[in-house]
């Protein structure tokens, strides 16, 4: 039989290769080919060429929040992916985006938007699930610590500017 020669791959080979096909043509081992394929999907996602579900967007956002092997740590990029997940109806993405808006992490601080997103999660979750629990707790906390105030019989929402 033929003996196969293993090729040592540089650590950044997956990032430099344009696709898993290029990795295969260059003779890199399967692990490098998989990393190249992941990097290719990542580039496609950044360019808006990849269709993802809300849950996939949320998972990618968490990778950016924590920092991973193919993506650097970036709260701004994580927030962008949470926004994509929220547009697709993912409750966890909405909660994370609301938190980012409330504290100005990765985006400009927007308490109104945060309140609205948390309310959407509560209304859409039908009183159960982790996202409902997180959103309910956050809304109650916003009221109890004075972040939001209500005025009059119609309960008009007022954001406390001193917050």
């Amino acid at each position: 039989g033929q003996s196969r020669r293993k090729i040592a791959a540089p650590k950044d080979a997956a990032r430099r290769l344009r696709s898993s096909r290029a990795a295969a043509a260059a003779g890199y081992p399967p692990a490098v080919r998989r990393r190249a394929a992941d990097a290719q999907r990542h580039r496609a996602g950044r360019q808006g060429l990849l269709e993802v579900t809300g849950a996939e967007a949320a998972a990618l956002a968490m990778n950016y929040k924590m920092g991973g092997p193919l993506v650097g740590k970036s709260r701004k990029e994580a927030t962008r992916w949470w926004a994509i997940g929220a547009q697709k109806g993912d409750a966890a993405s909405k909660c994370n985006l609301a938190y980012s808006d409330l504290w100005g992490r990765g985006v400009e601080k927007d308490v109104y938007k945060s309140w609205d997103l948390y309310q959407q999660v509560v209304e859409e979750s039908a009183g159960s699930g982790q996202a409902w629990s997180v959103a309910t707790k956050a809304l109650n906390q916003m009221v109890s610590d004075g972040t939001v105030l209500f005025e009059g019989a119609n309960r008009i929402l007022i954001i406390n500017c001193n917050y």
Side-chain angles (χ1 to χ4, degrees):
Q2 286 184 329
S3 64
R4 289 190 176 178
R5 194 175 112 231
K6 290 205 174 202
I7 298 173
K11 289 186 179 189
D12 66 338
R15 287 187 186 174
R16 288 187 292 135
L17 294 168
R18 301 305 290 164
S19 69
S20 59
R21 195 173 293 152
Y28 285 114
V32 174
R33 285 184 242 163
R34 281 192 299 277
R35 287 196 307 270
D38 289 344
Q40 184 180 16
R41 282 193 294 276
H42 169 69
R43 281 191 299 274
R46 285 195 59 137
Q47 295 168 359
L49 303 174
L50 183 66
E51 186 64 31
V52 295
T53 65
E56 290 168 339
L60 186 54
M62 288 307 283
N63 283 333
Y64 274 109
K65 179 185 175 204
M66 305 305 282
L70 290 176
V71 297
K73 193 172 184 177
S74 169
R75 189 64 181 219
K76 185 176 182 179
E77 195 65 21
T79 304
R80 184 175 85 79
W81 282 102
W82 280 321
I84 291 168
Q87 287 173 349
K88 295 188 178 275
D90 184 65
S93 291
K94 287 181 183 180
C95 284
N96 283 308
L97 184 58
Y99 181 85
S100 296
D101 286 327
L102 178 62
W103 296 104
R105 303 250 170 99
V107 291
E108 192 172 320
K109 186 174 180 175
D110 188 345
V111 180
Y112 283 109
K113 184 177 173 189
S114 177
W115 179 267
D116 288 341
L117 284 167
Y118 280 133
Q119 275 199 314
Q120 283 178 23
V121 171
V122 169
E123 291 166 3
E124 294 168 2
S125 297
S128 65
Q130 184 178 4
W132 177 85
S133 178
V134 167
T136 303
K137 183 178 179 182
L139 289 170
N140 288 332
Q141 185 65 39
M142 290 170 78
V143 172
S144 68
D145 68 11
T147 305
V148 296
L149 310 168
F150 292 100
E151 185 177 270
N154 294 334
R155 294 181 54 89
I156 298 170
L157 177 67
I158 299 173
I159 302 299
N160 184 354
C161 294
N162 296 324
Y163 173 68

